[in-house]
Amino acid sequence: MALTGCSQGSADLKSANQQTGAGSDAAAEAASPFYVDPNSNPAVWVRKNPRDARAAAIKKSIATKPGAKWFGNWSGDISKSVSAYVAAAQRAKKTPILVAYNITDRDCSGHSGGGAGSAAKYRTWISKFASAIGNRPAVVIIEPDAVAQLDCLPAGSRKTRTALLSYATKQFQTKAKKTRAYLDGGNSNWIAPATMATRLNAAGVKNVRGFSINVSNFFTTAQSAGYGKKVNAALKSKYRYTKRFVVDTSRNGKGGVPGQWCNPAGRKLGATSRLGGTSGAEYLLWIKVPGDSDGPCGVGAGIPAGTFSPVLATRLIKGS
C-alpha cells in the first residue's frame, strides 16, 4: 500500500481545469488546486541524489506533481503532523490530500500490516486527526482497503472494524467541516458493487463526501468510474441516496490485470490530480505515491512496502 473554502488556490476546487484527456495535461496541472508535498518520498530522493541519471525524470514526472500524504503509526504526534501539513498547504494556497491509514489490524497482517494497537487507540488517533484539520479545507481518504478487506477478519472483528470506520466518518463530519472525506471502497475487480454499497453504508459513508476507488491499484479510470456508478446505483436502490467518488489515477495509465496488485510490471503513471471532468468521478487523484513499493514482490522484490524505489518510479514513467 502506501508504506503507501479559503484562499484562491485551495479554496475553489471547482475552478480547476476539468479536462482529463492527455492533451490537456499541462493546463490541468497548472490549474490544479491540490498541494505538492515537498517532502514526499520521491522529492526527498531527488534532493539526495541530484546527480543520478534518473533524478531529472523523477522530479519532472512525479516529485513535482500534487498527490496524497499518508499518515499512520509512523507519523508520530498525529495532531502536530496533520496540522503542520495542512498549514503548509494553506500557506501555498492549495488543498492538501491526506490519507488516514492506521485502522486496527491494518492490511490483515499483509505487507502493510500494523495500525493502531486497539479500538480505543484508533478512536483517539482518528479523532485527533480530524481535529487537527479543523476548519481548514482538505481532502481525506479514509482507510484504504479497510472496507474491502472485511472478509479476512473474524466475525467479531468485522463488527469492530465497521464501527471504527463509522466513528471515523463522524469525526470528520463534526470536527473538520471543510474537509471532503471519502471512505475507501476498494477497486473495480474486488468486491461486488451491491456488497460494497452495503458495507459502505454500514461504515458511515453517508456521513462524509463519498468514497474512493482504485487506491494503490491500476485499473483504468473508465473501469473505476463504472464501478463507482454501480455502487451508487446499489446505494440508491437500497438506501435512497448516492455519494460522490474519487479515483486513484497515480498508476493507472495502462490499466491493470486482476490479481496483479503488487508492483506489477508494465504499469504507467495516470492523469495527475484534477477535477474528474467527464469521467464520472468527482476528482482524479494521485493517492498512492508513484515509486513507493507495494511490498517486497513483483518487480519490487526486496523493497518493503512504502519504500521509494527509483527503479519502480522509472518503470512507471516509461510504462515498462
Side-chain angles (χ1 to χ4, degrees):
M1 187 62 71
L3 306 188
T4 96
C6 53
S7 55
Q8 183 177 344
S10 60
D12 192 2
L13 297 180
K14 295 180 181 179
S15 67
N17 188 299
Q18 296 193 39
Q19 300 303 309
T20 59
S24 66
D25 279 353
E29 288 178 21
S32 174
F34 298 109
Y35 181 58
V36 177
D37 180 7
N39 295 308
S40 67
N41 286 346
V44 170
W45 183 89
V46 167
R47 284 201 297 272
K48 290 182 176 179
N49 299 274
R51 296 184 180 180
D52 191 292
R54 300 163 293 187
I58 292 173
K59 180 178 181 179
K60 178 181 178 181
S61 298
I62 297 176
T64 55
K65 307 303 182 189
K69 182 175 180 65
W70 293 59
F71 294 83
N73 49 305
W74 59 88
S75 299
D77 186 320
I78 194 61
S79 295
K80 292 181 179 178
S81 296
V82 168
S83 184
Y85 191 70
V86 175
Q90 191 173 41
R91 288 193 296 272
K93 300 182 179 180
K94 294 290 184 177
T95 298
I97 307 167
L98 304 87
V99 180
Y101 194 52
N102 198 37
I103 194 74
T104 306
D105 297 322
R106 187 181 65 213
D107 200 32
C108 293
S109 300
H111 295 308
S112 295
S118 68
K121 289 180 179 179
Y122 181 73
R123 284 192 291 268
T124 297
W125 186 87
I126 200 68
S127 177
K128 289 182 176 179
F129 191 119
S131 294
I133 297 175
N135 199 36
R136 295 177 290 188
V139 167
V140 174
I141 309 301
I142 302 174
E143 300 298 344
D145 292 349
V147 173
Q149 283 185 334
L150 281 173
D151 294 327
C152 77
L153 299 171
S157 296
R158 293 177 197 174
K159 293 180 180 179
T160 300
R161 166 72 60 84
T162 299
L164 288 178
L165 291 171
S166 181
Y167 179 85
T169 64
K170 290 175 183 175
Q171 297 310 294
F172 290 102
Q173 181 185 44
T174 59
K175 298 178 178 178
K177 293 184 180 298
K178 290 185 179 179
T179 290
R180 296 186 178 186
Y182 303 87
L183 182 60
D184 191 63
N187 65 66
S188 60
N189 279 271
W190 195 348
I191 305 298
T195 301
M196 179 54 69
T198 298
R199 293 183 182 185
L200 286 171
N201 180 71
V205 75
K206 195 172 184 179
N207 299 327
V208 291
R209 184 80 171 181
F211 55 98
S212 54
I213 299 169
N214 203 49
V215 174
S216 294
N217 221 294
F218 306 87
F219 298 110
T220 66
T221 300
Q223 286 175 300
S224 299
Y227 178 73
K229 292 173 183 177
K230 290 178 181 178
V231 171
N232 262 332
L235 284 172
K236 180 69 173 178
S237 175
K238 193 168 184 178
Y239 304 108
R240 300 295 184 265
Y241 69 88
T242 61
K243 304 298 287 187
R244 297 173 177 85
F245 62 87
V246 299
V247 173
D248 185 351
T249 57
S250 61
R251 305 185 297 177
N252 76 344
K254 281 189 174 181
V257 177
Q260 295 185 16
W261 60 268
C262 197
N263 302 317
R267 302 309 95 204
K268 193 173 185 179
L269 299 172
T272 50
S273 301
R274 61 188 70 177
L275 285 177
T278 58
S279 69
E282 182 168 29
Y283 303 121
L284 308 180
L285 302 174
W286 278 20
I287 300 173
K288 171 71 177 185
V289 179
D292 279 9
S293 176
D294 297 314
C297 43
V299 294
I303 306 172
T307 301
F308 178 78
S309 164
V311 174
L312 294 177
T314 300
R315 280 180 169 272
L316 288 172
I317 293 169
K318 295 181 177 180
S320 63

